[in-house]
């Protein structure tokens, strides 16, 4: 019998085994993942400044978000088609995560947040929304039995303290059950975003997930505008941005291309490269970028308390990242040993077939 026929008859090495084998050298792209995660945070951080320029000129939240997501979907259409060229079956096989990503990670997260800020302060709404990294730690604990380690717990505590300072939630703090409920909804949507974006087993390219999710989100938001579910208003008047007057389409394009298309696409890549937990904690840096851009473009200078809070957030992110790195280093030899053992078991299974074929020949 020909060697090719023998190879055909033998069951291939399990996919899980091949993936674990590849992960033994998976740290090679971690540094790139960190860089891209920071780029994503910076891109997301511009949204507040761009949106404020539009909202101050007569736009309503739902129309600003609808324009943001719709234009981003158009911008990502060609890159998405190029990434899926010849592999359209991957799109069909991943319709469910794309739809869920569009509903929760794109449309839901923003709408819940914008509704929250109509009932509670921006600081309180953001603080509750950014409980998502902590929810992810709890989800991993409940789903996979991953008890949080001490450094992760310390990083979580530091991040919470940092958010309290940076968002200045005690200045104008108000408790409104409806606003709290909307903000918790935003946190849950953000959690779903990280779970779907961080699925490293997915065959769907990050740009395709971003483009598909944007398309789903755009359909939902445009339908809401058409049905008048929330107040709808736009303005073509010049807006004030970065201390000067400029056409309204400048912040619209900035909101769509930078704060949406670039931010979401890079965010998905980073989540897959770093894992959902680390990526979600790094996303807290978005708050710092938002404060910095508000200082640059809107003239809202950060206070000393916010600077101290920023240091706490960075410290929390470093602790979580250090914990994940140490765990990966200690777990690496175990993964390698399991991989070698599984290879040996696979060889034991196929050896009789090989011997039989050699005798036949």
């Amino acid at each position: 019998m020909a060697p090719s026929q023998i190879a055909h008859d033998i069951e291939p090495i399990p996919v899980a085994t091949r993936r674990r084998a590849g992960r033994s050298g998976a740290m090679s792209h971690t540094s790139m993942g960190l860089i891209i995660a920071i780029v994503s945070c910076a891109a997301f951080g511009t949204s507040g400044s761009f949106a404020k320029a539009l909202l101050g000129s007569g736009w309503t939240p739902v129309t600003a978000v609808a324009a943001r997501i719709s234009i981003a979907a158009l911008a990502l259409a060609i890159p998405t088609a190029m990434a899926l060229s010849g592999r359209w079956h991957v799109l069909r096989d991943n319709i469910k995560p794309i739809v869920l990503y569009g509903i929760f990670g794109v449309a839901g997260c923003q709408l819940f947040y914008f509704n929250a800020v109509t009932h509670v302060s921006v600081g309180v709404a953001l603080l509750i929304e950014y409980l998502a990294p902590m929810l992810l730690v709890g989800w991993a604990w409940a789903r996979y039995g991953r008890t949080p380690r001490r450094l992760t717990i310390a990083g979580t505590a530091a991040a919470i303290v940092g958010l309290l300072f940076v968002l200045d939630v005690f200045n104008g703090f108000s408790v409104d059950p409806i606003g709290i409920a909307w903000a918790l909804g935003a946190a849950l949507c953000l959690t779903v975003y990280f779970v779907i974006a961080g699925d490293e087993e997915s065959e769907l390219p990050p740009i395709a997930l971003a483009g598909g999710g944007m398309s789903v989100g755009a359909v939902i938001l445009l339908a809401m505008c058409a049905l008048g579910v929330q107040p709808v208003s736009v303005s073509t008047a010049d807006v004030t941005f970065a201390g000067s007057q400029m056409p309204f389409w400048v912040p619209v394009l900035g909101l769509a291309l930078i704060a949406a298309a670039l931010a979401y696409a890079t965010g998905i890549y980073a989540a897959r490269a770093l894992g959902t937990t680390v990526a979600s904690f790094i996303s807290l840096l978005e708050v710092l970028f938002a404060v910095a851009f508000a200082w640059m473009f809107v003239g809202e200078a950060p206070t000393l308390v916010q600077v101290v809070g920023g240091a706490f957030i960075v410290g929390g992110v470093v602790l979580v990242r250090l914990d994940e790195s140490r765990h990966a280093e200690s777990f690496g030899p175990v993964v390698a040993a399991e991989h070698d053992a599984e290879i040996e078991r696979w060889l034991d299974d196929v050896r009789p077939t090989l011997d039989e074929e050699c005798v036949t020949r």
Side-chain angles (χ1 to χ4, degrees):
M1 181 177 291
S4 60
Q5 183 62 38
I6 296 176
H8 179 272
D9 292 339
I10 296 174
E11 181 183 359
I13 298 177
V15 173
T17 300
R18 297 199 305 270
R19 282 174 176 161
R20 283 198 295 271
R23 285 174 189 164
S24 61
M27 297 301 292
S28 59
H29 67 287
T30 300
S31 297
M32 180 60 67
L34 286 169
I35 294 172
I36 293 179
I38 294 174
V39 170
S40 179
C41 291
F44 273 121
T46 63
S47 63
S49 298
F50 287 131
K52 188 166 185 176
L54 292 176
L55 297 177
S57 67
W59 289 64
T60 55
V62 70
T63 53
V65 173
R68 172 189 186 184
I69 301 305
S70 299
I71 296 174
L74 292 174
L76 291 175
I78 294 178
T80 297
M82 293 174 63
L84 293 173
S85 179
R87 296 192 302 154
W88 293 102
H89 67 281
V90 176
L91 182 64
R92 294 192 300 270
D93 295 341
N94 290 273
I95 288 297
K96 182 178 179 180
I98 289 174
V99 172
L100 291 176
Y101 183 81
I103 293 174
F104 294 98
V106 177
C109 192
Q110 297 181 64
L111 286 176
F112 274 104
Y113 169 72
F114 277 118
N115 278 285
V117 296
T118 62
H119 297 276
V120 296
S121 67
V122 171
V124 172
L126 277 176
L127 176 64
I128 295 174
E129 180 183 6
Y130 277 97
L131 290 175
M134 293 52 124
L135 294 178
L136 279 169
V137 171
W139 178 78
W141 189 0
R143 176 74 182 274
Y144 302 109
R146 299 175 186 168
T147 304
R149 296 177 294 275
R150 284 178 295 179
L151 280 180
T152 294
I153 294 174
T156 300
I160 291 176
V161 172
L163 283 173
L164 287 170
F165 287 155
V166 171
L167 300 177
D168 196 14
V169 296
F170 299 111
N171 184 15
F173 180 82
S174 62
V175 177
D176 185 318
I178 296 178
I180 298 299
W182 280 115
L184 285 173
L188 291 173
C189 287
L190 189 58
T191 303
V192 174
Y193 160 83
F194 281 114
V195 170
I196 296 176
D199 183 9
E200 60 183 21
E201 305 293 333
S202 176
E203 296 180 291
L204 191 66
I207 194 72
L209 176 57
M214 289 290 170
S215 298
V216 173
V219 170
I220 294 173
L221 292 166
L222 291 175
M224 293 183 67
C225 290
L227 296 174
V229 175
Q230 290 191 322
V232 176
S233 176
V234 296
S235 173
T236 58
D238 288 349
V239 300
T240 301
F241 184 74
S244 60
Q245 293 291 312
M246 58 185 61
F248 75 95
W249 50 263
V250 173
V252 169
L253 291 181
L255 197 61
L257 301 181
I258 299 175
L262 176 63
Y264 275 92
T266 52
I268 295 170
Y269 179 91
R272 291 186 182 180
L274 302 173
T276 55
T277 301
V278 174
S280 66
F281 273 89
I282 291 178
S283 72
L284 297 177
L285 297 178
E286 177 191 337
V287 179
L288 304 185
F289 280 110
V291 171
F293 287 131
W295 184 13
M296 293 170 58
F297 299 135
V298 188
E300 298 177 352
T303 63
L304 178 60
V305 172
Q306 289 178 311
V307 173
V308 173
F312 271 95
I313 292 177
V314 172
V317 170
V318 170
L319 288 175
V320 173
R321 181 70 192 98
L322 180 61
D323 190 24
E324 291 292 325
S325 297
R326 287 183 175 179
H327 183 61
E329 290 174 1
S330 62
F331 191 63
V334 177
V335 172
E338 290 181 352
H339 167 250
D340 292 341
E342 188 162 350
I343 289 292
E344 289 296 329
R345 288 193 296 270
W346 177 79
L347 289 174
D348 289 339
D349 291 338
V350 302
R351 189 172 289 114
T353 304
L354 287 172
D355 291 342
E356 180 181 348
E357 295 297 342
C358 289
V359 170
T360 302
R361 293 183 65 193

